[in-house]
Amino acid sequence: MNEFSQISKNFSSSEGKDLKLKALNGFKDILPGETELWRQVEDRARDVFARFNFAEIRLPILEKTELFARSIGETTDIVEKEMYTFIDKQITLRPEATASLLRAYIEHGLYVQKPVQRLFTVGPMFRHERPQQGRLRQFHQMDAEVLGSANPRVDAELMTMGSMLLAELGLNVSLELNSLGCPACRPAFRESLLSFLGSRQDALCEDCKRRSVTNPLRVLDCKNPNCRAIVADAPSIQEHLCPECATHFQAVQDGLDQLGIVYSLNKFMVRGLDYYCRTTFEFITADLGSQSAVCAGGRYDGLVEQLGGPKAPGIGFAMGMERLVLLLLQKEQKIEPPAEIDIFIAGLGGDASRLAFSLMQGLRKAGARVTMDLDARSLKSQMKQADKAGARHVLMIGEEELAKKAGMLRNMATQEQREIPFGDEGLRMLLEATAAGR
Ligand code: ATP
Ligand code: MG
């Protein structure tokens, strides 16, 4: 007996009777009602991305583990402890989209087709973290990346796109900006940070004691209040930028100013992925506790090359959809009801129900949204169902209607009723009523 049949045997055995199958911790169903809100968020994003000339790319959910280790960085939280990896196969459920997108960009030579590629992708990501509100193990991101340009205006434009989308969703967020410098200026900053941390080791939290050796920049964004108080006086990366990075950083700010995007500088924001250089940014909300970042991103100029591709600088952001939806729910944003039904056909009895079944198909083929009760319950029950479905019309077919060869169409808003003959003429009248109601 294999493992699976053992599990299912246990489940169906008597002691397993009370055992309810539930989704895994941190994995969530998105139910009808809420899916409408998700679609509104995604539709709005697609609309804004299109205005900024981004094209969609769809990527696999599984990748070689090596891709993430090489791009995100061996000593990051994600790679050290958050990845879902099938150890025997050396493959990993993607924890983020940038690495996969770059892999596809290189694999398909997308840089040959266009000097600058603007791409977006939407989908689930997987990280083994402690689930809480706004933090799941399967979560969803809308990810946008620009590859092939180091122009600081691209940075400003990308942040503007994020800002516009969040504003059009009606969300109140603030933009925080930093520059992490480049391989030319970061080592000197790292040294000065290390010597600052060196004398304060004892006061740091355990994680930061370890980080000050493996990844000292991460100490700057530790959430521990003690560590925060200590690093408040730490040297600022913004004051250690080489002339090229300083010019770039200034030009990014000029671009944002020109486009009217408000931001504040945050020298503590270092981001949890190794591949960032120069511009990093986060859109922050005050309404989700410690899950305050709704969108985060930055520049990663050496990464394409590091993954075996051409010299192509890049910048991108990822927006967390769960957090956007939570914010919209908090605002009691009116959720659009699901697509309304044009006609509910209430067939009473076997013959009427049979007729209704083919009429429904004719109407659906012609583009109408139609439903019926296939079990042909009582008229009262069917009227209730029509109401629940938000049906604009109910077409009643009972014995009398069968004899007359005409159904009775009721407009649910006005309660007006009129006869609709069976056959092509009736179908035309029904479609007319449908179109008029929309
Ligand atoms: P955090 O600091 O909240 O852990 P992060 O820096 O790990 O975020 P990124 O890797 O930059 O997050 O991902 C971009 C965005 O994706 C985040 O700003 C957030 O909105 C969302 N996100 C990240 N991890 C999760 C998660 N486990 N559940 C839900 N959303 C998430
Ligand atoms: Mg995280």
Side-chain angles (χ1 to χ4, degrees), residues 23 25 45 75 79 81 150-151 159 161 168 170 178 184 190 211-212 226 270 285 303 348 362 369 373 379 381 397 427:
N25 191 14
T75 62
V79 174
K81 54 189 187 202
N151 191 321
M159 282 180 265
M161 181 166 87
E168 289 190 18
N178 196 13
R190 203 171 172 272
R211 282 185 194 128
S212 14
N226 278 341
V270 296
T285 170
L303 186 56
L348 301 166
R369 297 180 191 141
D373 177 0
L379 181 61
S381 156
I397 309 175
L427 193 65

Side-chain angles (χ1 to χ4, degrees), residues 49-172:
F49 294 168
R51 278 184 258 159
F52 282 78
N53 190 26
F54 279 66
E56 185 178 16
I57 181 166
R58 297 194 183 198
L59 302 160
I61 285 169
L62 269 175
E63 296 273 3
K64 287 188 184 150
T65 306
E66 187 196 349
L67 173 66
F68 303 115
R70 272 174 56 188
S71 58
I72 299 171
E74 298 275 6
T75 62
T76 56
D77 282 356
I78 295 180
V79 174
E80 268 183 353
K81 54 189 187 202
E82 293 176 0
M83 296 210 303
Y84 283 92
T85 296
F86 300 81
I87 293 170
D88 54 337
K89 304 248 176 0
Q90 290 304 317
I91 53 178
T92 293
L93 285 170
R94 61 177 184 193
E96 55 112 48
T98 307
S100 308
L101 191 139
L102 264 52
R103 196 257 319 126
Y105 173 79
I106 298 165
E107 183 174 338
H108 303 288
L110 298 185
Y111 46 89
V112 181
Q113 299 169 12
K114 273 190 200 171
V116 180
Q117 281 281 357
R118 298 159 164 255
L119 299 166
F120 77 90
T121 192
V122 179
M125 309 294 153
F126 304 84
R127 294 185 197 174
H128 191 267
E129 345 190 29
R130 195 166 68 79
Q132 50 201 295
Q133 199 196 40
R135 189 175 298 283
L136 286 125
R137 291 179 173 175
Q138 176 177 335
F139 61 100
H140 300 77
Q141 285 183 338
M142 301 189 291
D143 188 87
E145 315 278 349
V146 184
L147 292 156
S149 173
N151 191 321
R153 278 192 171 159
V154 169
D155 308 34
E157 200 190 359
L158 188 76
M159 282 180 265
T160 301
M161 181 166 87
S163 166
M164 245 171 79
L165 172 54
L166 294 163
E168 289 190 18
L169 288 170
L171 299 178
N172 184 16

Side-chain angles (χ1 to χ4, degrees), residues 86-326:
F86 300 81
I87 293 170
D88 54 337
K89 304 248 176 0
Q90 290 304 317
I91 53 178
T92 293
L93 285 170
R94 61 177 184 193
E96 55 112 48
T98 307
S100 308
L101 191 139
L102 264 52
R103 196 257 319 126
Y105 173 79
I106 298 165
E107 183 174 338
H108 303 288
L110 298 185
Y111 46 89
V112 181
Q113 299 169 12
K114 273 190 200 171
V116 180
Q117 281 281 357
R118 298 159 164 255
L119 299 166
F120 77 90
T121 192
V122 179
M125 309 294 153
F126 304 84
R127 294 185 197 174
H128 191 267
E129 345 190 29
R130 195 166 68 79
Q132 50 201 295
Q133 199 196 40
R135 189 175 298 283
L136 286 125
R137 291 179 173 175
Q138 176 177 335
F139 61 100
H140 300 77
Q141 285 183 338
M142 301 189 291
D143 188 87
E145 315 278 349
V146 184
L147 292 156
S149 173
N151 191 321
R153 278 192 171 159
V154 169
D155 308 34
E157 200 190 359
L158 188 76
M159 282 180 265
T160 301
M161 181 166 87
S163 166
M164 245 171 79
L165 172 54
L166 294 163
E168 289 190 18
L169 288 170
L171 299 178
N172 184 16
V173 295
S174 52
L175 171 59
E176 297 193 348
L177 180 65
N178 196 13
S179 173
L180 293 185
C182 68
C185 47
R186 212 180 311 168
F189 172 70
R190 203 171 172 272
E191 282 312 310
S192 102
L193 183 62
L194 275 175
S195 74
F196 173 86
L197 294 173
S199 54
R200 295 162 177 86
Q201 279 293 311
D202 294 344
L204 293 172
C205 75
E206 287 309 310
D207 272 347
C208 283
K209 279 189 187 131
R210 190 172 46 82
R211 282 185 194 128
S212 14
V213 184
T214 57
N215 206 345
L217 262 66
R218 288 308 317 262
V219 179
L220 292 175
D221 75 346
C222 179
K223 306 282 186 290
N224 183 304
N226 278 341
C227 300
R228 281 196 168 198
I230 293 166
V231 300
D233 302 323
S236 164
I237 179 121
Q238 290 168 20
E239 280 148 27
H240 284 77
L241 298 176
C242 63
E244 290 77 17
C245 286
T247 306
H248 191 274
F249 193 40
Q250 188 53 53
V252 173
Q253 296 173 63
D254 292 346
L256 288 171
D257 292 339
Q258 190 186 343
L259 301 183
I261 303 299
V262 179
Y263 57 90
S264 55
L265 299 180
N266 178 356
K267 66 172 185 172
F268 302 113
M269 187 184 45
V270 296
R271 311 283 306 117
L273 299 87
D274 279 358
Y275 53 59
Y276 287 120
C277 66
R278 293 193 169 168
T279 312
T280 52
F281 59 93
E282 284 185 356
F283 287 91
I284 302 287
T285 170
D287 301 327
L288 288 179
S290 51
Q291 277 58 256
S292 57
V294 295
C295 173
R299 191 161 264 294
Y300 44 79
D301 289 347
L303 186 56
V304 174
E305 224 180 334
Q306 189 184 312
L307 292 175
K311 260 198 166 71
I315 181 167
F317 71 59
M319 245 181 221
M321 295 183 76
E322 276 74 10
R323 296 184 192 179
L324 297 183
V325 168
L326 276 173

